[in-house]
Amino acid sequence: MKVHFYEKLSRDKIQFILLSIVILAISYFTYFHNYNYPQAVFWDENYHIPAAQKYLNRTFFMYDHPPLGPMLVSLGEHLLHSNNFFNQFNDVYYAKDFPTDFSFAGYRFIPTICAWLLPLVFFFITLNLVDNKIIAFLLSSLVLFDNAMIVHFRAAMLDAPLMLFIALSVLFFC
């Protein structure tokens, strides 16, 4: 007798999987899609991109923030190699003039990945708290559609990895 895949899954598991996919899809379009735009620096990227370049060049420097955040920003540039050179801000703390052909895609990559995954982790947390998939899905829309989070988490800043790690810690202890 042939058993279909969907017959092995219960209705609750199918609903959980579908809601998780919907959250990831919405999160992709709100956080990750065209994450490298605008092609201009904003907020604190002037500080974090030079720090990331110092990590890429293995240059010793003093910095106000713990090292993991700028290391994650530099990891994206290391993985994507979106710029041919990454030492133009090696001797400054605050970057003022970015070249016209400068690409922010690498520096914004890892923070945006963290932002993309955050609503799903928030869904898991709220699901543990309320034990209702629909309510947890609706509560995750607070993270999915928050304009301030969308703007700041798509940048080469430390906020998105920090929030993801905090959410994973909360999920671990739920």
Side-chain angles (χ1 to χ4, degrees), residues 46-148:
N46 301 50
Y47 298 101
H48 300 308
I49 290 175
Q53 285 189 355
K54 289 177 180 80
Y55 279 113
L56 288 170
N57 292 311
R58 298 180 179 166
T59 303
F60 178 76
F61 68 104
M62 297 296 292
Y63 199 55
D64 299 338
H65 299 286
L68 183 61
M71 284 181 181
L72 290 173
V73 172
S74 65
L75 175 65
E77 179 65 23
H78 178 72
L79 292 174
L80 296 184
H81 298 290
S82 57
N83 293 300
N84 293 333
F85 53 93
F86 45 84
N87 60 357
Q88 69 266 34
F89 304 120
N90 219 18
D91 56 345
V92 296
Y93 178 73
Y94 176 84
K96 292 180 184 175
D97 299 319
F98 284 83
T100 56
D101 60 342
F102 188 82
S103 174
F104 293 93
Y107 294 106
R108 292 176 179 169
F109 183 67
I110 297 296
T112 308
I113 291 285
C114 293
W116 179 26
L117 297 175
L118 180 63
L120 184 65
V121 174
F122 191 77
F123 171 69
F124 295 155
I125 291 169
T126 55
L127 186 60
N128 281 335
L129 294 176
V130 298
D131 199 30
N132 186 329
K133 291 172 193 63
I134 302 300
I135 293 174
F137 175 76
L138 293 174
L139 287 173
S140 68
S141 69
L142 295 172
V143 178
L144 280 171
F145 301 114
D146 185 0
N147 192 40

Side-chain angles (χ1 to χ4, degrees), residues 21-37:
I21 290 171
V22 167
I23 288 171
L24 279 177
I26 294 171
S27 181
Y28 171 80
F29 286 108
T30 55
Y31 285 103
F32 195 76
H33 186 68
N34 288 333
Y35 72 93
N36 56 340
Y37 292 106

